[in-house]
Amino acid sequence: MKREVVSVPVGAPLEDAAEKMNHHRVGCVVIVRDDRPVGVITERNFVRLFSSSRGKKDGVKVDEFIPRHLVQLSSQATYAQAVRVFNRHGIKRVPVVENGRMVGILSQKDLLDYSRRAFLALLEKNRQLQGEVYRDFVVTGAALGAF
């Protein structure tokens, strides 16, 4: 999870969101009202907006990207709960909240990185356990005169 979240306030021009995304080199900007997330604008939103034939894009506000219900994740959520949220809603990023206030943003990449680290830790633990089993076998075998 990233605690430094790039955000724009409700009512901001869409250009502000695009400039912040470009400046901070991020794939999304969270729309906030009183430090509470109310929407997320992603690169995908920009592609759809600018490739559509809606005509003039000037004057568009970020408010057009505020959903009726924003998918959020509690700061107390488990890894499994986070995976379910991503899969159920087909999203790549989700604001993380604590008492309604945004404390970070979690991405699919964050989950993948966590999975990779957990897998490597399990591999290392397995290697250590196999070494202990092998040492026990050699010591026990030698003590029994098998070698």
Side-chain angles (χ1 to χ4, degrees):
M1 176 182 85
K2 292 182 181 141
R3 293 196 180 276
E4 299 287 326
V5 181
V6 179
S7 63
V8 293
V10 169
L14 191 59
E15 292 83 15
D16 289 1
E19 288 172 9
K20 282 192 171 195
M21 286 173 67
N22 186 46
H23 177 75
H24 294 280
R25 297 178 182 241
V26 294
C28 75
V29 175
V30 178
I31 306 166
V32 295
R33 178 182 295 124
D34 301 323
D35 293 326
R36 297 177 187 275
V38 295
V40 176
I41 300 174
T42 66
E43 293 166 325
R44 187 183 317 173
N45 294 131
F46 280 103
V47 168
R48 288 181 179 151
L49 176 68
F50 290 105
S51 66
S52 71
S53 58
R54 287 203 234 173
K56 190 175 175 183
K57 309 296 188 272
D58 294 338
V60 175
K61 302 286 184 193
V62 296
D63 303 39
E64 291 189 28
F65 296 90
I66 297 175
R68 281 183 242 174
H69 173 73
L70 177 65
V71 177
Q72 302 177 28
L73 195 61
S74 164
S75 62
Q76 302 301 310
T78 65
Y79 173 84
Q81 290 168 330
V83 168
R84 278 194 296 275
V85 165
F86 278 98
N87 288 338
R88 183 180 305 130
H89 298 283
I91 56 178
K92 294 181 181 179
R93 298 168 188 90
V94 63
V96 179
V97 296
E98 190 171 287
N99 299 320
R101 302 245 181 237
M102 185 167 54
V103 295
I105 191 158
L106 186 70
S107 69
Q108 285 180 332
K109 183 183 179 305
D110 295 329
L111 292 179
L112 184 61
D113 289 346
Y114 175 83
S115 297
R116 181 186 58 79
R117 287 191 312 271
F119 180 70
L120 291 174
L122 285 172
L123 284 177
E124 177 60 22
K125 185 65 176 172
N126 184 48
R127 187 187 67 73
Q128 291 170 357
L129 290 173
Q130 286 180 346
E132 289 173 15
V133 168
Y134 177 74
R135 281 191 304 276
D136 288 347
F137 173 76
V138 171
V139 170
T140 303
L144 295 175
F147 294 101

